[in-house]
Amino acid sequence: MAIFDKFQHLAATRQALADSGIDSIHVVMDNIVSPTEAVANGRNMILAGTNNYLGLTFDPMCIDAACDAARAEGTGTTGSRVANGSYSGHVELERELADFFGFRGVIVFSTGYVANLGMLSTLTNPGDVLLIDSDCHASIYDGCRLSGADIIRFRHNNVDDLEKRLRRLGERSANTLIVVEGIYSMLGDRAPLADIVDLKRRYGAYLLVDEAHSLGVLGDRGRGCAEEAGVIEDVDFIVGTFSKSLGAIGGYCASNHPELDLMRYASRPYVFTASPSPSIVASTRAALKILCSRPDLRSRLWQNAQRLYQRLQELGFVLGPEPSPIVAVRLESKEQALALWLGLLDRGVYVNLVLPPATPDGGCLLRCSVSAGHSREQIDTICEAFESFQSWEQTAQIA
Amino acid sequence: MQNIEDLQEQLCRILTPFVPDGLDLQAETDLVADLDLDSMKVMDIVVDVEDHFDISIPLNILPDVRTIGDFVLQLQTLLKEEA
């Protein structure tokens, strides 16, 4: 039993949540009706916590492409590309992504998590330095740990703080990889990339930007925060995922460095993971075409995001620092967060419940993610559910 | 070169906002068990300590830091390297 002893505090936390009628990990979607609707726990639910930014998971072109590929090439590759070889779809997808970003090369990984693990652990080794924004995603922290390089954090989105740390490194800044995200997953705020690029140039460091939440969301062509900031050519590595705007699963790294291709031989997470299945590659390629040809989806996404952010702000909720497709509602206590999350579920709205230590500053969050697939009525229903909680809470207090 | 006692005193000052009422900080004070700090809070404190001493403190030291005394020893080593 000894190896399980360390999980006892988790068991206690889970039991306490279960006693309150909450088991957020085990909400079962019995029937997925559309990108924005499901039947969960026997009731109709508006999905407002999916990261399905462009709403492409039910797009007929993507579904047809996935079905055709599965019929033509089978359900899986059953091994890594190093061992089993590449399918033509893998190579085509990499070429199409490289063209999309205007970069020399792209490597496709099996998940976004593996993309960060594979790139960070391989690009840097003991003796190198990783300078990471404190709000970076767990996959970045894990990739950094696997690298053996020195990991130094700077305060979230604080350019002065980053510069202070670069200055302290002295000559080591030439062996330093700065790691930031385009849009941060918890609060939905974006990185000040123009300033960060300026610093990385002045100190001779490298820059990796994780655009997981900004692909298809920011930039004239949907290429992300670096495109929006006008610095895409100055970013050394762009990492991202297919599991959000592109509605599938998988990850990538794009770069102009010719050495990128060497990662295929050196990156253990790449070498030792089975490659993406034909259906995934096919639906991702179809979704990328849609992302490029349908800027109206991005416009609709932002209309929905602005509407939700503005309405919740008017209702008096404390939100993340700027409007974005991630609308984070900040709450003072765990009890308040749990009660509101349950209240929303009761009213047919599913959002993400995020508790410390997964939150940036030890607070509690109800994290909404908006989709281009949401109708105006659905956004209004989400707002009404939040509004009704306010009166419900007041009623409870009076009672 | 700062001695262990000076370093511990400075570190304890930085930790003050996280100390439960009535707890006297000692070298043996456990950051997690006694101060109830989670992993994020510990990493935030590392950033504060970096700025206080104007040095780089890699997170890689954290597996070897359980108590205030452990932290002080790591600090002493890093300060020696930077000198």
Side-chain angles (χ1 to χ4, degrees), chain A residues 317-333:
Chain A
F317 287 99
V318 181
L319 306 178
E322 58 181 302
S324 105
I326 296 166
V327 180
V329 178
R330 308 179 75 135
L331 296 149
E332 286 174 7
S333 68

Side-chain angles (χ1 to χ4, degrees), chain A residues 137-395:
Chain A
H137 187 259
S139 59
I140 291 174
Y141 277 89
D142 292 354
C144 291
R145 285 172 62 180
L146 200 57
S147 75
D150 284 351
I151 308 160
I152 296 172
R153 290 162 90 232
F154 63 94
R155 292 182 173 87
H156 175 55
N157 270 352
N158 188 327
V159 177
D160 293 338
D161 208 61
L162 171 60
E163 177 161 25
K164 197 191 302 175
R165 280 158 175 74
L166 279 165
R167 198 185 313 123
R168 275 183 200 140
L169 288 170
E171 289 178 358
R172 293 188 78 194
S173 63
N175 285 51
T176 296
L177 178 65
I178 302 166
V179 186
V180 298
E181 297 182 23
I183 289 180
Y184 284 88
S185 60
M186 285 295 124
L187 297 180
D189 49 345
R190 64 192 88 172
L193 276 187
D195 293 336
I196 292 171
V197 161
D198 178 53
L199 278 183
K200 85 115 195 172
R201 272 203 204 124
R202 285 201 278 126
Y203 285 87
Y206 295 85
L207 175 63
L208 182 149
V209 181
D210 183 340
E211 301 268 24
H213 291 272
S214 31
L215 174 73
V217 172
L218 295 177
D220 285 345
R221 291 170 54 195
R223 292 184 293 173
C225 190
E227 183 191 16
E228 185 193 50
V231 295
I232 194 164
E233 287 171 5
D234 298 294
V235 174
D236 296 282
F237 306 96
I238 292 180
V239 172
T241 177
F242 306 145
S243 65
K244 297 177 175 33
S245 296
L246 298 175
I249 187 168
Y252 61 87
C253 177
S255 177
N256 275 323
H257 290 285
E259 294 87 354
L260 178 72
D261 215 44
L262 296 173
M263 302 299 129
R264 296 184 197 276
Y265 305 91
S267 173
R268 293 171 63 84
Y270 176 84
V271 172
F272 294 103
T273 305
S275 60
S277 64
S279 59
I280 291 296
V281 170
S283 79
T284 301
R285 292 177 66 191
L288 183 62
K289 283 194 180 75
I290 295 169
L291 186 157
C292 293
S293 61
R294 296 275 314 273
D296 58 298
L297 291 176
R298 205 150 48 251
S299 304
R300 201 185 314 158
L301 168 68
W302 276 98
Q303 282 167 14
N304 285 339
Q306 298 278 5
R307 187 172 180 81
L308 181 62
Y309 190 91
Q310 191 182 333
R311 285 283 306 277
L312 293 184
Q313 200 169 43
E314 285 166 4
L315 288 170
F317 287 99
V318 181
L319 306 178
E322 58 181 302
S324 105
I326 296 166
V327 180
V329 178
R330 308 179 75 135
L331 296 149
E332 286 174 7
S333 68
K334 195 187 281 185
E335 291 70 28
Q336 202 182 19
L338 295 173
L340 180 50
W341 185 77
L342 267 183
L344 292 172
L345 220 51
D346 274 350
R347 286 156 182 77
V349 173
Y350 182 84
V351 301
N352 306 126
L353 171 66
V354 195
L355 302 174
T359 50
D361 49 12
C364 299
L365 296 177
L366 290 189
R367 179 184 172 281
C368 311
S369 63
V370 178
S371 172
H374 282 126
S375 66
R376 194 182 167 103
E377 290 72 29
Q378 285 177 320
I379 296 291
D380 289 345
T381 303
I382 296 166
C383 295
E384 282 157 19
F386 272 96
E387 190 173 9
S388 70
F389 169 79
Q390 282 198 315
S391 47
W392 169 81
E393 188 191 36
Q394 283 154 10
T395 307

Side-chain angles (χ1 to χ4, degrees), chain A residues 132 134-135 141 144 148-155 161 164-165 168-169 356-362, chain B residues 38-60 63 82:
Chain A
I132 65 174
S134 59
D135 280 10
Y141 277 89
C144 291
D150 284 351
I151 308 160
I152 296 172
R153 290 162 90 232
F154 63 94
R155 292 182 173 87
D161 208 61
K164 197 191 302 175
R165 280 158 175 74
R168 275 183 200 140
L169 288 170
T359 50
D361 49 12
Chain B
D38 62 32
S39 54
M40 294 300 287
K41 281 206 189 94
V42 171
M43 289 194 290
D44 288 345
I45 288 166
V46 169
V47 172
D48 292 340
V49 176
E50 280 186 310
D51 285 349
H52 179 83
F53 291 100
D54 196 25
I55 57 169
S56 300
I57 306 178
L59 298 182
N60 314 48
E82 296 250 340

Side-chain angles (χ1 to χ4, degrees), chain A residues 76-147:
Chain A
T77 64
T78 65
S80 87
R81 289 168 68 181
V82 176
N84 292 22
S86 294
Y87 286 26
S88 61
H90 295 133
V91 178
E92 290 298 309
L93 175 57
E94 286 175 344
R95 189 181 53 75
E96 288 158 8
L97 280 166
D99 290 346
F100 171 68
F101 285 111
F103 275 20
R104 179 183 180 129
V106 164
I107 298 180
V108 162
F109 293 85
S110 298
T111 69
Y113 180 92
V114 171
N116 270 330
L117 216 60
M119 288 309 300
L120 293 165
S121 67
T122 311
L123 282 170
T124 56
N125 289 144
D128 298 323
V129 180
L130 286 151
L131 251 180
I132 65 174
D133 185 287
S134 59
D135 280 10
C136 276
H137 187 259
S139 59
I140 291 174
Y141 277 89
D142 292 354
C144 291
R145 285 172 62 180
L146 200 57
S147 75

